[in-house]
Amino acid sequence: MIRYTGTAAGSGRDGAGNVTPVDNWTPPACWYEPRSAQEFSKYVENMYDETVNTPGQHSYAKASVGMFRDEYKDGKYKNYNLDQKDEGNWWVAVRDEDRWTEPEAQLCDKQPFWVENGTAPPVENAVTPQVLAELAYNRIQLPTTEVTLAPEETTKVNLPTWAWLDKARFQETSVTAALNVGGLNIQATTTAKPVSLKLEPGTPDAETYPAAGECTINDDGSIGEPYAKGKADQTPPCGINYLRSSGDSTFKLQATVTWEITWTGTGNPNPTQLPNGTFGNDQNVAVQEIQSVNR
């Protein structure tokens, strides 16, 4: 089975989440991967025993699993091809557990089939280094995108609000996917690198700095510039100017980081582009109506 290492989803990073592709591309919802004869026979026998011995199990389920078992044990194939265990592997359909209800996950509907070593599986989405890279893409876990603001808690109308992200928090993040079954030993590492921050103020009555709201990453890996005393009359390189009060409520500032995604792996030593991805979150900003501010 595929093994994932690195900063993958589920690794417990506080507030972290998965990258979202910027276009219509999505990683595979299903694919085919190999199992050794021993692994496949154990899987089928365990499934059969569990199904037929479960109290109250419907007779249809028992008949279905029995027919499946017979196909590979005493039917078209004999004893799971254990006598050929060093000559090939079983290839089985696998669905992403988080997407198994999607129509795309139902496309891998071919029953397990035998492939001799050195022969390409006769199906689309058979696992390759690139497929591993695309699966790793979906498991990269990125940090929260809560920006630091100055003023920190409550800003003022017509007062430029500085925004920045700490370079230590936004660094390259990688996940490696590897598969080593029988004669197939492949791997791929997918890496996400932050390239920009987009600010959406949460109201049309606001200006962003830069005007497009896209703050590029600095040479040291940070985004924006921390506010410092004496910069009150300067335009922040990354920030917002709210033009009206939020009243008794707040505006939802959305901060989204764009990540450049590349992969390397077996037979592909040079970084190869995958679709860029984004990850962000909202934070509340209170804006007060004060005509004159001294700081």
Side-chain angles (χ1 to χ4, degrees):
M1 297 181 64
I2 298 173
R3 300 185 183 278
Y4 299 95
T5 56
T7 312
S11 60
R13 293 177 69 179
D14 184 29
N18 297 96
V19 65
T20 300
V22 297
D23 54 26
N24 291 328
W25 178 85
T26 57
C30 72
W31 60 94
Y32 294 92
E33 63 182 60
R35 298 283 187 272
S36 69
Q38 297 96 320
E39 290 173 332
F40 183 66
S41 65
K42 182 178 180 180
Y43 163 74
V44 175
E45 290 297 324
N46 286 346
M47 178 177 61
Y48 174 80
D49 290 341
E50 181 178 344
T51 302
V52 299
N53 293 318
T54 297
Q57 185 66 266
H58 198 282
S59 59
Y60 172 80
K62 294 181 179 180
S64 178
V65 74
M67 292 173 60
F68 181 82
R69 176 180 183 246
D70 289 345
E71 174 81 0
Y72 298 97
K73 184 175 176 64
D74 302 305
K76 179 179 179 181
Y77 303 98
K78 301 301 179 183
N79 197 28
Y80 307 105
N81 280 359
L82 285 169
D83 60 339
Q84 305 172 47
K85 62 182 181 180
D86 296 326
E87 301 173 18
N89 295 290
W90 292 102
W91 283 71
V92 301
V94 181
R95 295 181 175 88
D96 188 322
E97 293 182 358
D98 296 328
R99 301 173 59 194
W100 68 273
T101 60
E102 297 180 17
E104 293 81 359
Q106 315 311 315
L107 298 178
C108 302
D109 56 2
K110 188 175 178 62
Q111 291 278 45
F113 54 95
W114 181 259
V115 178
E116 293 184 354
N117 293 336
T119 302
V123 291
E124 294 184 6
N125 264 22
V127 69
T128 63
Q130 181 166 343
V131 169
L132 290 180
E134 293 171 354
L135 294 174
Y137 184 114
N138 208 37
R139 286 159 177 77
I140 291 176
Q141 193 175 55
L142 301 172
T144 54
T145 318
E146 184 170 356
V147 296
T148 304
L149 301 174
E152 184 176 354
E153 296 181 356
T154 302
T155 189
K156 309 297 188 291
V157 172
N158 291 321
L159 177 67
T161 300
W162 292 58
W164 66 93
L165 287 168
D166 184 0
K167 63 181 180 181
R169 188 168 177 77
F170 285 82
Q171 300 175 342
E172 287 189 2
T173 302
S174 297
V175 170
T176 296
L179 182 65
N180 186 358
V181 176
L184 186 66
N185 186 0
I186 56 176
Q187 62 85 29
T189 298
T190 301
T191 301
K193 176 183 178 182
V195 292
S196 66
L197 166 71
K198 186 173 181 60
L199 298 177
E200 298 177 81
T203 172
D205 297 316
E207 300 171 338
T208 57
Y209 308 107
E214 193 91 10
C215 307
T216 57
I217 193 167
N218 301 320
D219 290 340
D220 66 356
S222 63
I223 299 178
E225 180 182 329
Y227 174 77
K229 187 175 181 180
K231 294 182 178 180
D233 296 329
Q234 298 181 22
T235 298
C238 183
I240 305 165
N241 182 16
Y242 286 97
L243 304 179
R244 70 175 177 90
S245 167
S246 60
D248 295 330
S249 184
T250 58
F251 295 127
K252 284 194 176 296
L253 167 65
Q254 185 176 58
T256 304
V257 171
T258 295
W259 298 77
E260 181 183 74
I261 315 292
T262 60
W263 74 277
T264 59
T266 304
N268 189 65
N270 299 317
T272 301
Q273 289 288 141
L274 289 171
N276 283 355
T278 61
F279 179 63
N281 57 271
D282 298 338
Q283 59 193 90
N284 295 324
V285 178
V287 182
Q288 294 179 346
E289 180 76 54
I290 295 180
Q291 298 300 324
S292 179
V293 178
N294 295 319
R295 60 171 183 170

